[in-house]
Amino acid sequence: MLDLRKRNFTKAELVQMLSEEDPEELDILFDTARTIREDVQGDKIFAYGFVYFTTFCKNNCNFCYYRKSNNIERYRKTPEEILATSKELIDSGVNLIDLTMGEDPEYRREEFNTVADIIRTIKKEYDTPVMISPGVVEKHIIDKLAEAGADWYALYQETHNRELFKKLRVGQDYDERMNAKLYAKERGMYIEEGLLAGIGESSQDIADSLLTMGQMGAKQVRVMSFVPQEGSPMESCQTPDRTEELKIIALMRILYPHALIPASLDVDGIGGLKDRIRAGANLITSIIPPRSGFMGVAQNTMDVDEGGRTVEEARNILSEMGLRIASKEEYKRFIREEMR
Ligand code: SF4
């Protein structure tokens, strides 16, 4: 095993670590990542509330349940419903509201004015940071969302291999997507970049993604395992072994000690939390109130109505690990002062 604390790894070294299978060596990898997290933030773990407010989308990503061609039931929540759910999540103890949407033509038609109003309310009346995941939008819309007070712009390439991107995000432009988030960064928003594991990528592709995420200045970096979606062209593809995702989380932590790295409840529900936190994740995402009628992305209903994806459940699990959910003030201080 390489010296894991040196951090400035070459692509070849990252590929070597991604191919590691020896359980003892993998334990060293996860222990190192976890120790780095503890050095930076002690026993605090952050938590984001997830509000997927419209499941309409004009795109046809091959891996996605909500792709336009999939004949599914969809919803578009009202501003009142979005705000009520956001408030419920904030009161339960989340540090940020993640407002996520498909590329819904309806919001484009009205130039995102409703979304901007919702962001303003969450920021001013609920005093809570906001992440917006609107898909690819034009510069003047990014300006509007930044001015409304959005702290984060999340937009995932899912792969940084252009050929694979073309196959996954059918009919979409790689550079347009990348440039939208770079512009959001220019406008003062933090950006989140993401990759999917198990969608036909090589270890070289993952190493490229890990390095690109740092070069582009992403402060939040996420990996999620691909989960096959009913009715999509990739319905019969296999979901990968989770070790891959855990290795990537650990390498992200080692490369970027101050980054926000999610343990998403969207892949394996609350049952998948411990492993991801053990691998070095410092943030729980996809917390959704039970019986709210809101869905997840990769596992649209898993653990939602049963109340598995709540702050309370996460708090219980963290406490068994000697960890705790950070307060909103601690989160704000982290992004202001410690996240470099
Ligand atoms: S991944 Fe996003 S942009 Fe692609 S089809 Fe799904 S909701 Fe639409």
Side-chain angles (χ1 to χ4, degrees), residues 52 57-61 63-68 101-103 169 172 177:
Y52 192 15
C57 188
K58 68 176 178 60
N59 291 333
N60 252 326
C61 300
F63 54 87
C64 181
Y65 181 64
Y66 301 99
R67 66 198 303 273
K68 183 183 170 191
M101 56 184 286
E103 293 199 12
R169 292 200 178 272
Q172 297 170 56
R177 196 169 187 88

Side-chain angles (χ1 to χ4, degrees), residues 8 55 59 74 99 111 118 130 163 176-177 179 188 308 317:
N8 53 340
T55 57
N59 291 333
R74 298 177 191 265
L99 293 173
E111 296 267 295
I118 291 168
V130 172
E163 286 308 306
E176 189 187 15
R177 196 169 187 88
N179 289 337
I317 290 172

Side-chain angles (χ1 to χ4, degrees), residues 193-251:
E193 176 63 302
L195 73 112
L196 266 180
I199 32 87
E201 77 286 2
S202 65
S203 297
Q204 274 83 1
D205 292 336
I206 295 173
D208 273 336
S209 288
L210 287 169
L211 295 172
T212 305
M213 287 168 157
Q215 285 152 8
M216 63 189 280
K219 298 290 185 194
Q220 185 166 317
V221 289
R222 82 97 166 96
V223 54
M224 270 173 45
S225 297
F226 162 75
V227 177
Q229 300 298 320
E230 203 182 335
S232 73
M234 291 173 73
E235 179 179 21
S236 55
C237 297
Q238 293 294 309
T239 191
D241 182 277
R242 297 298 184 258
T243 314
E244 178 90 347
E245 183 183 325
L246 299 178
K247 279 193 245 182
I248 297 171
I249 288 175
L251 289 173

Side-chain angles (χ1 to χ4, degrees), residues 300-312:
N300 43 31
T301 54
M302 179 192 256
D303 275 355
V304 177
D305 281 351
E306 299 81 358
R309 291 209 211 172
T310 58
V311 172
E312 205 185 332

